[in-house]
Amino acid sequence: MAQITSKPRPPPPQRTVPFAVVSVLLPCSAALIGAPFLYPSSTLPFLSASLGFALLAFLLTLTLVPALGGAFLLADLKGRDLLKRATHYIPESIGLIAASVYIALLILFIPFPFSNFLQNDEKKKLVEGLARADFPHQQLSVYLAAILSLLIATLLGFLDDVFDIRWRHKLPIPIIASVPLLMVYFAEGGNTRVIVPKPLRFVLGNAVDLGVLYYVYMSLLSTFCTNSINILAGINGLEATQALIIAISVALNDSLYLPWRFNLTVGESTHVGGVYAAGMSYGSRELMERHLLSLYFMLPLIGVCSGFLYHNWYPARVFPGDTLCYFTGMAFAVVGILGHFSKTLLLFFIPQIFNFLLSCPQIFGIIPCPRHRVPRLDEKASSTLLYPSRVQFVEPPSRLATVILKVFSSLRLTDLCYDDETGRIKSATNFTLPNVILVIAGPMKEPHITIAVAVIQIAGSCLAFSIRYGLSGLFYDGDRR
Amino acid sequence: MAQITSKPRPPPPQRTVPFAVVSVLLPCSAALIGAPFLYPSSTLPFLSASLGFALLAFLLTLTLVPALGGAFLLADLKGRDLLKRATHYIPESIGLIAASVYIALLILFIPFPFSNFLQNDEKKKLVEGLARADFPHQQLSVYLAAILSLLIATLLGFLDDVFDIRWRHKLPIPIIASVPLLMVYFAEGGNTRVIVPKPLRFVLGNAVDLGVLYYVYMSLLSTFCTNSINILAGINGLEATQALIIAISVALNDSLYLPWRFNLTVGESTHVGGVYAAGMSYGSRELMERHLLSLYFMLPLIGVCSGFLYHNWYPARVFPGDTLCYFTGMAFAVVGILGHFSKTLLLFFIPQIFNFLLSCPQIFGIIPCPRHRVPRLDEKASSTLLYPSRVQFVEPPSRLATVILKVFSSLRLTDLCYDDETGRIKSATNFTLPNVILVIAGPMKEPHITIAVAVIQIAGSCLAFSIRYGLSGLFYDGDRR
């Protein structure tokens, strides 16, 4: 075992990128991006370009992270891995590289869906000045507003890393970042009505106009998506794994609405809607386009998250910083708002909602909340097993806290430690999902915790799909737009 | 005189903001922003709101800079003033605060011109989904693309401050920042034709389509606007003063195109164009709207630059960092591109063009270029006078360099120093505008240099107006769109 020196050792070398991967995937990416030029008359020519950009996002993140990591160390953006025995610093805030690649590619993607350079010459009727006929200006505005929100989230996330903003001042950051989106939504006279669930319709009618409350709801959605990933963090690869699985789930859900050649729905309603009817769009071009727009955001996100995860996986060579949580959370909020499927989106956050509810007693101060709640390494043992971190009760817990602790303990959500003499609760494991996993399954190695959370996240997504396409018929009409 | 200690002293207190200014201007700002609600039928209701936002930008920058300066010191974003005898550090990169205020207000301004919440109810015909009829989607896209470009310039400027990017890697930054604008310009099938000057029309015709070259021209414009301000920097208040005067000049030029109640043009063409004819728009609503859009960007820029200048004026309490040059330069490029008046814009950069041409021999390595070329304090003397900084010739200058040095010296653009024994040129003053001012007018105090540059900048703008509205008739038709 390496001797622990007081002076930080030089950081370990960055993970090398297999040349074979780059040399195979780069031509694939170029071919996919070039496909719309070769086959402009295919049904969805720009989806292939988006896939190509996703591959490119993966490759760029994969190669730029090790190349630029050194610059972050020099700029003092570095951190020590608290769950390792090594004392070296590794680059922090590398989410900035992932975010920059993501946003740059989203910008370079603009001409594909939003210009008509691939359309028939007949349609290319030049109108005076800038504009051409049939140009989807409105879609471009919301796309640009979304990128603007993502960029603000990235900038504020990075400022958070540089200035180390206090937890309380951090909370409104996603609200600020969502302002461009809300402004454009408002400027375009966005729809603020929501469909009322069937059981409540006798009171509220079919739809209710939430007005200003709808904007509050949207900004809270971005706050939730961002912070719920941010509080389930601190273990190598955990943030990127969550973002990756949610992004894949959203993309899978989106793909259900594409005009497939074969029929996805069971039995009914295939005779309406022509080409769009083969998916879940039930003939609605609008519904299809919303999910297509969502895919344009999710595919490159899958790319950057996988590329980043390669370097962030145990033992991590780089840290994400808050930047990663901010821009990925914002990306989910953006597609949920623009695609009008925020309830479905929240279903993919089941593990994060569980973790948030679990954390509430500590967040709201009923039970003391230490600065770090991540599982800890046993300093005495020489193994690399992680144990649940504990909150120590200097003063005896209040009556309310004692009730919560006892209930959580009986549900095996926390492990209590009693004082032998007084019989009072001396300490409890912190209320986070990783700690619950360790309480139930016993000490494990760091990467196994990440894998366990990933399995829970995938199970949550399976549950989400079965609720959305199974149970929701009880509360909503099948043919929803 | 204060004793110079080796240990940095605590920074001087930030400049206090007069309470009277805030308490008078804040209600004014609120009234101007509220005016469109009270008088929705005025000719240009949103211009008053824009003026209100400009006042708000001034007040926010004025108050936020001293409030947040301490956080920058803590985050190690600080610098020592090389032209002072004091050894304390003051906050650096404060341009970030100015940029954040500017961009936040531009975003909050969106609903004013781009929604129809103030229009008559008759026009408020709800169209299915998001959109409403008669909504200026296209203008909103370019507005959002412009904000996106400004935000990228800000982020990259701040990254430059944090990572201290090398001069050669910096140059393309404005090109990257201009990509969203170029993408949207392309996606909207933007016009790439330029009007040919009269004397060349017999060869090229009335107009020539530059195609891809037009995009190259636009990205070079943003590079020029940004870097030309950045290389004329280093003296307290200099960057902000330049930006302020250019912004005021552009705004004055824009105001010529508004529908005034009285006639601005001499004699001709008042009978066409109705209300727009009173300005220089010659009846073109399009031309008026372009300049109105430009005003929406310039007025808040004037606000943030003045607010920032209050704290950056000699003796500076904060430094702008590269961030200020990046976002102000980008703002000028944005209005030049969107407003289609890039040639007029360049006329307002006469001092910067002069400084750039002057710097060329040093930029291109014909004459050695030291890291800092700002004037210097005479370490031996106890006065606060600044002297021109000099480049020392370790090796004798080449023949080409000698010719340039002799020509520049005869034009009083540099001051040469000869070796008494060999008669060779030993040193020369650096080729920048502040040094030329010192060579011609003798040593001065630091704020007087800033004032001298400001006077030159104002004189340049006067020249620009006389060229634009006097001489340009020789090369172009009067009635240009």
Side-chain angles (χ1 to χ4, degrees):
Chain A
M1 208 186 106
Q3 199 194 329
I4 299 176
T5 53
S6 59
K7 200 180 161 191
R9 289 182 309 162
Q14 293 291 335
R15 219 156 269 168
T16 52
V17 177
F19 180 71
V21 171
V22 179
S23 55
V24 169
L25 291 185
L26 198 58
C28 293
S29 160
L32 283 166
I33 295 172
F37 299 93
L38 298 173
Y39 310 102
S41 55
S42 61
T43 321
L44 298 171
F46 307 124
L47 190 59
S48 116
S50 182
L51 267 172
F53 273 92
L55 267 185
L56 195 59
F58 171 71
L59 290 173
L60 281 173
T61 316
L62 199 65
T63 48
L64 285 178
V65 167
L68 300 176
F72 281 70
L73 284 178
L74 287 178
D76 213 34
L77 290 163
K78 59 190 180 184
R80 218 171 70 72
D81 199 330
L82 299 173
L83 302 179
K84 307 283 184 301
R85 294 185 196 285
T87 57
H88 52 250
Y89 285 94
I90 65 174
E92 172 84 66
S93 308
I94 298 295
L96 180 67
I97 298 175
S100 305
V101 168
Y102 181 56
I103 291 168
L105 291 181
L106 284 179
I107 289 171
L108 291 176
F109 184 62
I110 290 173
F112 285 83
F114 299 113
S115 76
N116 40 18
F117 75 98
L118 285 175
Q119 289 186 8
N120 301 333
D121 279 333
E122 292 159 34
K123 284 195 181 174
K124 277 192 181 177
K125 213 167 63 185
L126 197 70
V127 177
E128 200 170 81
L130 275 175
R132 280 178 186 180
D134 292 320
F135 176 73
H137 290 298
Q138 182 211 328
Q139 289 243 26
L140 180 55
S141 304
V142 293
Y143 186 83
L144 289 170
I147 298 179
L148 204 47
S149 284
L150 286 169
L151 193 53
I152 294 176
T154 303
L155 179 63
L156 291 175
F158 185 64
L159 291 182
D160 183 7
D161 285 335
V162 171
F163 290 102
D164 208 5
I165 301 171
R166 246 179 288 166
W167 189 80
R168 223 166 298 174
H169 297 161
K170 258 182 214 193
L171 269 185
I173 284 181
I175 298 181
I176 299 171
S178 63
V179 168
L181 207 55
L182 303 187
M183 284 291 158
V184 171
Y185 198 88
F186 174 75
E188 304 220 325
N191 183 7
T192 54
R193 286 174 308 162
V194 290
I195 307 294
V196 175
K198 277 184 196 167
L200 294 177
R201 280 189 195 167
F202 73 99
V203 190
L204 299 169
N206 279 340
V208 61
D209 193 342
L210 290 181
V212 175
L213 283 181
Y214 196 82
Y215 292 90
V216 176
Y217 169 69
M218 287 195 288
S219 57
L220 289 182
L221 184 71
S222 59
T223 310
F224 173 77
C225 290
T226 302
N227 286 308
S228 67
I229 296 179
N230 211 0
I231 63 169
L232 184 45
I235 291 172
N236 287 178
L238 195 57
E239 297 92 333
T241 303
Q242 295 173 63
L244 181 61
I245 296 172
I246 297 172
I248 292 173
S249 306
V250 175
L252 279 178
N253 181 55
D254 289 333
S255 68
L256 296 179
Y257 294 82
L258 299 185
W260 294 101
R261 284 181 188 279
F262 46 90
N263 189 11
L264 288 180
T265 53
V266 188
E268 46 166 354
S269 64
T270 45
H271 53 288
V272 291
V275 68
Y276 305 114
M280 306 287 282
S281 294
Y282 296 99
S284 161
R285 188 189 172 89
E286 194 188 349
L287 203 51
M288 190 278 283
E289 281 183 344
R290 280 179 189 169
H291 285 280
L292 197 57
L293 190 66
S294 169
L295 270 177
Y296 293 159
F297 281 98
M298 285 300 113
L299 295 178
L301 189 65
I302 294 172
V304 290
C305 285
S306 345
F308 175 77
L309 197 53
Y310 177 76
H311 299 284
N312 183 228
W313 191 258
Y314 180 89
R317 295 291 185 246
V318 294
F319 288 137
D322 287 332
T323 318
L324 188 92
C325 301
Y326 279 90
F327 94 87
T328 54
M330 201 64 214
F332 296 130
V334 156
V335 296
I337 292 169
L338 295 185
H340 294 262
F341 57 83
S342 55
K343 290 191 295 294
T344 309
L345 176 73
L346 286 177
L347 285 176
F348 296 126
F349 277 78
I350 290 175
Q352 282 70 29
I353 293 172
F354 173 76
N355 184 62
F356 172 71
L357 294 176
L358 196 66
S359 298
C360 276
Q362 291 198 298
I363 290 177
F364 294 110
I366 300 168
I367 288 162
C369 186
R371 176 108 175 80
H372 292 289
R373 303 190 299 160
V374 286
R376 63 188 176 78
L377 208 57
D378 190 349
E379 288 296 341
K380 292 163 205 156
S382 65
S383 74
T384 54
L385 290 179
L386 293 188
Y387 295 81
S389 65
R390 308 188 74 91
V391 51
Q392 306 289 336
F393 294 101
V394 185
E395 292 173 27
S398 68
R399 278 181 66 180
L400 177 60
T402 311
V403 172
I404 292 171
L405 287 166
K406 293 253 164 99
V407 172
F408 276 33
S409 172
S410 67
L411 294 168
R412 296 199 67 189
L413 298 177
T414 186
D415 176 58
L416 302 179
C417 184
Y418 294 90
D419 193 310
D420 291 338
E421 291 171 25
T422 61
R424 278 210 301 244
I425 298 169
K426 212 170 59 177
S427 73
T429 59
N430 281 310
F431 295 180
T432 68
L433 184 56
N435 285 321
V436 171
I437 293 171
L438 293 175
V439 165
I440 293 174
M444 31 172 114
K445 291 189 177 179
E446 190 175 354
H448 296 162
I449 302 180
T450 312
I451 292 171
V453 174
V455 169
I456 292 171
Q457 189 86 52
I458 293 169
S461 287
C462 294
L463 180 63
F465 276 107
S466 61
I467 293 175
R468 172 65 186 83
Y469 297 101
L471 293 181
S472 80
L474 298 178
F475 301 101
Y476 292 103
D477 306 322
D479 181 12
R480 293 185 48 228
R481 307 233 166 138
Chain B
M1 206 185 104
Q3 199 191 329
I4 298 176
T5 53
S6 59
K7 201 182 161 190
R9 288 183 308 163
Q14 292 292 333
R15 217 156 270 169
T16 52
V17 178
F19 180 71
V21 172
V22 178
S23 55
V24 168
L25 290 185
L26 199 57
C28 293
S29 160
L32 283 167
I33 294 173
F37 298 93
L38 299 174
Y39 311 101
S41 54
S42 62
T43 320
L44 298 173
F46 307 124
L47 190 58
S48 118
S50 182
L51 266 172
F53 274 93
L55 266 185
L56 196 59
F58 170 71
L59 290 173
L60 281 173
T61 316
L62 199 65
T63 49
L64 285 177
V65 166
L68 299 176
F72 281 70
L73 284 176
L74 287 178
D76 213 35
L77 290 162
K78 58 190 181 184
R80 218 171 70 71
D81 199 330
L82 299 174
L83 301 181
K84 307 283 182 303
R85 294 184 197 285
T87 57
H88 52 252
Y89 284 94
I90 65 175
E92 170 84 66
S93 308
I94 298 295
L96 181 66
I97 298 175
S100 304
V101 168
Y102 181 56
I103 291 170
L105 291 181
L106 284 180
I107 289 172
L108 291 176
F109 184 62
I110 290 174
F112 285 83
F114 298 114
S115 76
N116 39 20
F117 74 100
L118 285 177
Q119 289 187 8
N120 300 333
D121 279 333
E122 292 159 34
K123 281 195 181 173
K124 274 193 180 175
K125 214 169 59 183
L126 197 70
V127 178
E128 199 169 81
L130 274 175
R132 281 181 186 178
D134 293 322
F135 177 73
H137 289 298
Q138 182 211 326
Q139 288 242 29
L140 180 56
S141 306
V142 293
Y143 186 83
L144 289 170
I147 298 179
L148 205 47
S149 283
L150 286 169
L151 193 53
I152 295 177
T154 304
L155 179 64
L156 292 174
F158 185 64
L159 291 182
D160 182 6
D161 284 336
V162 171
F163 290 102
D164 208 6
I165 302 171
R166 246 178 289 166
W167 190 79
R168 224 167 298 172
H169 296 161
K170 259 183 217 194
L171 268 186
I173 284 182
I175 298 181
I176 298 172
S178 63
V179 168
L181 208 55
L182 303 188
M183 285 290 157
V184 171
Y185 199 88
F186 174 74
E188 303 220 324
N191 183 5
T192 54
R193 286 174 308 163
V194 289
I195 308 293
V196 176
K198 278 184 194 166
L200 294 175
R201 281 191 193 165
F202 73 97
V203 190
L204 298 168
N206 277 341
V208 60
D209 192 342
L210 290 181
V212 175
L213 283 181
Y214 195 82
Y215 292 89
V216 176
Y217 169 69
M218 287 194 288
S219 56
L220 289 182
L221 185 70
S222 58
T223 310
F224 173 77
C225 290
T226 302
N227 286 306
S228 67
I229 296 179
N230 211 359
I231 62 169
L232 183 46
I235 291 172
N236 287 178
L238 195 57
E239 298 92 333
T241 303
Q242 295 174 65
L244 180 62
I245 295 171
I246 297 172
I248 292 173
S249 307
V250 174
L252 279 179
N253 181 54
D254 289 333
S255 68
L256 296 180
Y257 294 82
L258 299 185
W260 295 100
R261 284 180 188 278
F262 46 89
N263 189 12
L264 287 180
T265 53
V266 188
E268 46 165 351
S269 63
T270 45
H271 54 289
V272 292
V275 69
Y276 305 114
M280 306 288 280
S281 294
Y282 295 99
S284 161
R285 186 187 172 91
E286 194 188 347
L287 202 52
M288 190 277 283
E289 281 184 342
R290 280 179 189 169
H291 285 280
L292 197 58
L293 189 67
S294 169
L295 270 177
Y296 292 159
F297 281 98
M298 286 299 114
L299 294 178
L301 189 65
I302 294 171
V304 291
C305 285
S306 345
F308 176 78
L309 196 53
Y310 178 76
H311 300 283
N312 184 228
W313 190 258
Y314 180 90
R317 296 292 185 242
V318 294
F319 287 137
D322 287 332
T323 317
L324 187 93
C325 301
Y326 278 91
F327 94 87
T328 52
M330 201 65 214
F332 296 129
V334 156
V335 296
I337 292 170
L338 295 185
H340 295 262
F341 57 83
S342 55
K343 289 191 294 295
T344 310
L345 176 73
L346 286 176
L347 285 177
F348 296 125
F349 277 78
I350 290 174
Q352 283 70 29
I353 294 172
F354 173 75
N355 184 62
F356 172 72
L357 293 176
L358 195 67
S359 297
C360 278
Q362 288 196 301
I363 291 177
F364 294 111
I366 299 168
I367 288 162
C369 185
R371 176 107 174 80
H372 293 288
R373 303 191 297 161
V374 284
R376 64 190 173 77
L377 208 57
D378 191 347
E379 289 296 341
K380 291 163 205 155
S382 66
S383 75
T384 54
L385 290 179
L386 294 188
Y387 295 81
S389 64
R390 308 189 73 91
V391 50
Q392 305 291 335
F393 295 102
V394 185
E395 292 172 28
S398 67
R399 280 182 64 183
L400 176 59
T402 310
V403 171
I404 292 171
L405 286 167
K406 294 255 163 96
V407 171
F408 275 32
S409 171
S410 67
L411 295 169
R412 296 200 64 190
L413 298 176
T414 186
D415 174 60
L416 302 180
C417 182
Y418 295 89
D419 193 311
D420 291 338
E421 292 173 24
T422 61
R424 276 209 304 241
I425 299 170
K426 211 169 63 174
S427 75
T429 60
N430 281 308
F431 294 180
T432 69
L433 183 57
N435 284 320
V436 170
I437 293 171
L438 293 175
V439 165
I440 293 173
M444 314 180 171
K445 290 191 177 178
E446 191 175 353
H448 296 162
I449 301 180
T450 311
I451 292 170
V453 173
V455 169
I456 293 171
Q457 189 86 51
I458 293 169
S461 286
C462 295
L463 181 63
F465 277 107
S466 60
I467 293 175
R468 172 67 185 83
Y469 297 100
L471 292 180
S472 80
L474 298 178
F475 300 101
Y476 292 103
D477 306 323
D479 182 12
R480 290 186 53 226
R481 310 234 166 138

